[in-house]
């Protein structure tokens, strides 16, 4: 596992990265926001759009999600929820490429909670392609993922205040 220069809390692998953010809110509120797929682009800056393929069904094992992102790949990628533990994990794998993965994990701590996001995507072009990816796309994605988790923290901490104005958000 190669560790590159990354923001605090970031871990990188050959095909993706992982970051985490602690927040002062209960895990139930955070997991509810994670399960609102259509709101992901609000707090995840690297997503242009996200939607459940069947909007009438709640997010769960086998749910299909269509994403448009700045991660290298097709214009719209189809993902399927392959791991789901209510209140804890939502993990999506690419429907046409099992090397694409987006995983959200909520960890409950004694006085706070933590969101851990893991994003795996394939790089092509051998060693040279991986090097170019590290210098371009990956750096941008690391930065955007870090900012996204800070934004998530603000949303879940603000939402728990009485009379929050983002109730219709």
């Amino acid at each position: 596992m190669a560790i590159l220069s990354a923001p605090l809390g970031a871990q990188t692998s050959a095909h993706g990265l992982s970051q985490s953010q602690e927040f002062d809110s209960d895990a139930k509120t955070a997991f509810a926001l994670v399960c609102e797929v259509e709101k992901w682009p609000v707090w995840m800056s690297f997503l242009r759009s996200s939607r459940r393929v069947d909007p009438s069904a709640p997010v769960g094992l086998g749910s299909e999600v269509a994403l448009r992102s700045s991660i290298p790949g097709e214009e719209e990628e189809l993902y399927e929820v392959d791991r789901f533990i209510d209140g804890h994990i939502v993990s999506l794998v690419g429907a046409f490429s099992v090397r694409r993965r987006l995983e959200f994990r909520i960890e409950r701590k004694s006085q706070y909670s933590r969101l851990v996001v893991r994003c795996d995507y394939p790089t092509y072009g051998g060693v040279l392609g991986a090097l170019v990816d590290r210098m371009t796309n990956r750096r941008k994605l690391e930065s955007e993922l870090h900012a996204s988790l800070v934004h998530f923290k603000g949303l879940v901490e603000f939402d728990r205040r009485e009379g929050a104005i983002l109730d219709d958000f």
Side-chain angles (χ1 to χ4, degrees), residues 7-145:
L8 186 62
Q11 295 177 336
T12 59
S13 70
H15 299 291
L17 56 112
S18 176
Q19 291 198 15
S20 65
Q21 178 68 53
E22 294 176 357
F23 50 89
D24 184 20
S25 181
D26 64 299
K28 184 178 177 181
T29 301
F31 192 75
L33 182 58
V34 166
C35 288
E36 294 183 45
V37 172
E38 290 76 15
K39 293 182 182 177
W40 287 356
V42 171
W43 59 272
M44 283 196 288
S45 61
F46 61 90
L47 289 182
R48 288 182 271 166
S49 70
S50 62
R51 63 179 176 84
R52 288 175 289 153
V53 174
D54 180 6
S56 63
V59 173
L61 196 59
S63 297
E64 292 182 327
V65 175
L67 301 175
R68 287 189 181 164
S69 71
S70 59
I71 299 172
E74 299 297 320
E75 187 63 27
E76 182 174 76
E77 295 284 333
L78 191 61
Y79 286 79
E80 180 180 345
V81 176
D82 69 331
R83 288 179 50 204
F84 182 85
I85 300 174
D86 193 23
H88 184 59
I89 293 177
V90 175
S91 179
L92 299 98
V93 65
F96 302 109
S97 173
V98 295
R99 292 173 59 195
R100 290 188 177 275
R101 176 169 297 280
L102 186 59
E103 181 176 283
F104 305 94
R105 186 176 69 237
I106 302 290
E107 298 174 351
R108 295 180 185 133
K109 303 295 180 180
S110 58
Q111 296 178 5
Y112 58 89
S113 298
R114 175 182 297 166
L115 172 65
V116 179
V117 177
R118 189 178 106 207
C119 180
D120 293 334
Y121 63 94
T123 56
Y124 301 104
V127 175
L128 183 59
L131 181 62
V132 169
D133 176 67
R134 271 192 205 115
M135 302 313 265
T136 57
N137 296 324
R138 174 161 305 178
R139 284 190 178 183
K140 181 179 179 186
L141 183 58
E142 283 177 342
S143 174
E144 289 183 10
L145 183 56

